[in-house]
Amino acid sequence: LSGVVLEPTLAERLSRVATSTANTKRNKAPFRHLLLYGPPGTGKTMFAKGLARSSGLEYAILTGGDVAPLGRDAVTEIHKVFDWANTSK
C-alpha cells in the first residue's frame, strides 16, 4: 500500500488484511474469502491486485459487465470462476 493515500483507520484495516493473508499463505492455512465492495473509484481493484502480488496469490476480477452478457449461462460461468479459485494457489 505504499504510495496510496488512505484514511488512517482504513489504512490500518487494509494493512491487517494484507498481513493476515501473507501469514495464512506462509503457514499453508486455509484462506477465508474476501469480498470488496463500494462505489467505483475507491481503490478496490488496486487493493486486490496489490494484496495478491504482495502475498504471492492469484486473483480474478469480475464485474457485473462481465456477467450480464452471458445471460442464462452466467451461473455456469461464475461456477467455473469459483472452481478455478478453489484450485488456485
Side-chain angles (χ1 to χ4, degrees), residues 17-63:
V17 169
T19 300
S20 174
T21 302
N23 289 338
T24 299
K25 181 170 174 71
R26 187 175 322 118
N27 295 319
K28 296 182 171 46
F31 285 97
R32 299 197 45 105
H33 298 286
L34 178 66
L35 173 66
L36 303 175
Y37 65 94
T42 57
K44 299 175 300 293
T45 301
M46 182 173 59
F47 175 71
K49 287 179 179 180
L51 178 63
R53 274 194 298 270
S54 69
S55 303
L57 299 171
E58 297 174 334
Y59 65 95
I61 297 171
L62 188 68
T63 68

